[in-house]
Structures are given as C-alpha cells and as structure tokens.
C-alpha cells in the first residue's frame, strides 16, 4: 500500500496565509485589531509628552491633611503627622500615582520615635492615604543628672523636646541611673537597670497615681553564689519604701511572680487605704506581704 501523500505547503508561506486571511474571512477581526493598535500607539505617544505633567500636577500630589492616622495621643507633643509629611517630602514630591507611595509613607512613619509599629498603609479612592499605627507611650522618666528622659515599656528612649517639666514630672521617676543613654530617640536606652525599671513602671501604670507612688529605685543584691543582681524598691509620696525585688521576667525560682506581687499590693492597699503608717513612712517588702 502506498504511503499517504504529504500535505502540500502553501505556496505563499505563513505570512502570506495571514495576509490572505486578513483580507478575506478575517477582515473584520483584522480591522478591529488595527484600530485598537492605532489607538494604543496614539495614547502612548501622547502620554509620553503630557504624562509627566499630569502626574506632577497638584491634583495627584499628596496633601498633609490627606494622610489619615489614628488620633494622636495627648502625650505626644507637636503635630506628628506634619512632621512625618515633611520627612517624606525630603525624598521628592509625594505622588498618589507612584507605586512606591505606600513603602515611602510606611518607612517615614516607622522612622519616627513615637511610632511603635506601622500596621498597614492603604490608598483610598478619595485621594487619601490611611495609615494604621501603634504609638509608643512613656511609662516612666529616667532622672539622668538634671534631666528627665522618657522611655516606653521596652526602655525605648522617647523625644522630650516640646514636653514641659510639669508634663514629664507626672510620670513615675526611675532614679539611681548613673549611665546616660547610648541611644538616640527610637532606640533602647542600653541599660539593664533602665529596662527593669521601665518594666515595673509598665506593670504599675494603672495604679501608680491611686497608690500615691512617686519613684522607682534600683539597688544591688549579692546572691549566695557571688553574683550581683539588680533589685528595685518603690517609694510613696509619703516616704514609705516597698521592696519589689527582681523585675518582671527575671524572677528567680524562689521569688513570687509579678502577678502575685501586684495582687499582694492590691490586697494591702484595699485593706489599709494607704501604704504609709499612721506615724509616718513604713518599710514594706511585697514578697512578705499576705496574699489573698
């Protein structure tokens, strides 16, 4: 039996077949594609000339009031949104059509010492940019020489420019710190003593004023094996000393937990209404106070 005859090739080739199709049965489709291609080319040519002007027009530039952030807490001085906006502008115009707008805004807020976390940056249809943030909050001030420097619960140094002495003095004072900060605002102080004191201040933040507490003082304790530990005492306005012991998270196996310390102080204060004695200051140790 003879082998099947091979199909003959088109005498004009693939390109010729396409031309024949375009002027024949595919004429309508080809015309549509041609019109679309001409439109896209014309749009591209025009945009090359006018696009940069359109992008840089006032309509597409981010305005300061278009940055939407959570309500600024009263402990942060100045206008944080305006400060961050100015820092963003240092990198050039802030264009709403720029693909790098979100990262630029996020980076600028993250660099601000008052910002703990940039959760999300979203462009809104209303030509605004919504920024979800977590703010840092001072938990105490560290007395460094004649200065009061604010830190948060992780001992992050916070800016005090714009804060009055009376505003700083309303926070718990951590005294007895002989080492100045090695950090700039937005970074940890660089001292274990400051970190421990800030952690205690954070635990007592809700009861500090009600219990008439005024300052936190670290002091050294030599353990049985010769190691030095930093313990802390609390002082009331009336002069009573309350020995707290080790800071949160560093309790040794023989010491009660932070939650138990707080519970014992709560019980004592509810029973007596004060930590001071009828005849003057007392010397209390939270670890020896009765519990529930």
């Amino acid at each position: 039996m003879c082998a099947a005859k091979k199909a003959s090739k088109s005498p004009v080739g693939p390109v010729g077949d396409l031309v024949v199709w375009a002027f024949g049965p595919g004429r309508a489709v080809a015309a549509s594609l041609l019109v679309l291609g001409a439109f896209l080319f014309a749009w591209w040519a025009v945009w090359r000339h006018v696009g940069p002007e359109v992008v840089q027009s006032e309509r597409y530039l981010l305005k300061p009031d278009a940055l939407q952030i959570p309500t600024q807490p009263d402990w942060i001085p100045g206008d944080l949104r305006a400060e961050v906006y100015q820092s963003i502008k240092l990198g050039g115009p802030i264009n709403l059509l720029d693909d790098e707008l979100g990262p630029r805004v996020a980076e600028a807020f993250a660099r601000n010492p008052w910002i703990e976390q940039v959760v999300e940056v979203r462009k809104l249809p209303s030509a605004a940019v919504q920024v979800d943030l977590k703010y840092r909050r001072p938990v105490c001030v560290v007395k460094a020489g004649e200065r009061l420097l604010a830190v948060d619960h992780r001992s992050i140094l916070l800016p005090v420019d714009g804060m009055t002495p009376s505003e700083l003095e309303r926070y718990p004072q951590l005294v007895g710190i002989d080492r100045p900060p090695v950090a700039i605002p937005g970074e940890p102080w660089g001292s274990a003593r400051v970190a421990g004191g800030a952690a205690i201040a954070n635990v007592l933040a809700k009861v500090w004023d009600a219990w008439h507490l005024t300052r936190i003082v670290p002091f050294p304790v030599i353990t049985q094996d010769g190691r030095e530990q930093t313990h802390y005492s609390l002082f009331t306005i009336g002069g009573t000393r309350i020995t707290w012991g080790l800071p949160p998270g560093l309790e040794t196996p023989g010491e009660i937990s932070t939650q138990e310390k707080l519970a014992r102080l709560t019980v004592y204060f509810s029973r007596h209404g004060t930590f001071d004695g009828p005849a003057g200051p007392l010397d209390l140790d939270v670890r020896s106070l009765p519990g529930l």
Side-chain angles (χ1 to χ4, degrees):
M1 194 167 85
C2 296
K5 204 173 188 180
K6 290 185 179 180
S8 61
K9 293 184 178 180
S10 170
V12 294
V15 175
D17 289 341
L18 182 61
V19 172
V20 171
W21 173 85
F23 284 93
R27 182 167 50 189
V29 176
S32 299
L33 292 174
L34 184 62
V35 171
L36 177 61
F39 171 79
L40 293 175
F41 178 80
W43 179 89
W44 173 79
V46 172
W47 182 254
R48 285 189 61 190
H49 292 284
V50 304
E53 296 181 10
V54 172
V55 169
Q56 297 301 327
S57 67
E58 287 291 322
R59 177 182 177 185
Y60 294 101
L61 295 181
L62 180 68
K63 307 298 191 300
D65 57 0
L67 274 176
Q68 299 182 5
I69 63 176
T71 303
Q72 179 174 318
D74 58 4
W75 62 79
I76 299 180
D79 187 340
L80 185 143
R81 181 175 64 175
E83 292 176 11
V84 173
Y85 180 82
Q86 290 302 319
S87 71
I88 301 174
K89 282 186 66 178
L90 293 177
I94 314 167
N95 196 289
L96 290 167
L97 301 179
D98 189 350
D99 292 337
E100 296 299 315
L101 173 63
R104 283 182 64 187
V105 170
E107 182 183 2
F109 274 100
R111 286 198 305 264
N112 190 284
W114 286 109
I115 303 303
E116 181 173 353
Q117 180 185 6
V118 179
V119 179
E120 186 179 13
V121 177
R122 295 192 301 274
K123 294 182 184 179
L124 302 180
S126 57
V129 176
Q130 183 172 332
V131 187
D132 293 334
L133 303 167
K134 289 184 179 179
Y135 296 106
R136 290 193 174 107
R137 179 179 188 137
V139 296
C140 69
V141 291
V142 182
K143 189 170 179 58
E146 297 300 317
R147 302 180 65 197
L148 293 177
L149 301 176
V151 295
D152 77 347
H153 67 288
R154 295 191 298 131
S155 78
I156 301 294
L157 185 64
L158 299 174
V160 295
D161 294 340
M163 300 177 73
T164 65
S166 60
E167 289 174 328
L168 291 170
E169 289 169 359
R170 73 183 183 182
Y171 294 105
Q173 286 194 21
L174 175 60
V175 303
I177 303 299
D178 54 7
R179 179 180 174 183
V182 298
I184 60 174
E187 297 180 357
W189 183 288
S191 165
R193 281 193 166 196
V194 174
I200 293 173
N202 186 52
V203 169
L204 297 170
K206 293 182 179 179
V207 296
W208 187 268
D209 292 332
W211 288 357
H212 308 294
L213 301 172
T214 181
R215 65 187 186 276
I216 302 170
V217 182
F219 63 93
V221 170
I222 304 300
T223 63
Q224 292 181 349
D225 58 3
R227 293 182 298 109
E228 181 178 297
Q229 293 179 333
T230 299
H231 290 226
Y232 295 82
S233 291
L234 314 174
F235 284 83
T236 67
I237 295 174
T240 288
R241 173 185 176 180
I242 306 170
T243 300
W244 176 275
L246 290 165
L250 295 180
E251 297 92 347
T252 58
E255 185 165 353
I256 62 175
S257 68
T258 296
Q259 291 73 21
E260 180 62 23
K261 292 176 183 179
L262 188 59
R264 292 188 183 189
L265 289 175
T266 301
V267 169
Y268 186 97
F269 190 84
S270 65
R271 289 176 179 172
H272 300 276
T274 179
F275 291 113
D276 300 321
L282 299 175
D283 196 347
L284 305 174
D285 190 323
V286 65
R287 297 164 296 186
S288 62
L289 293 178
L292 294 174

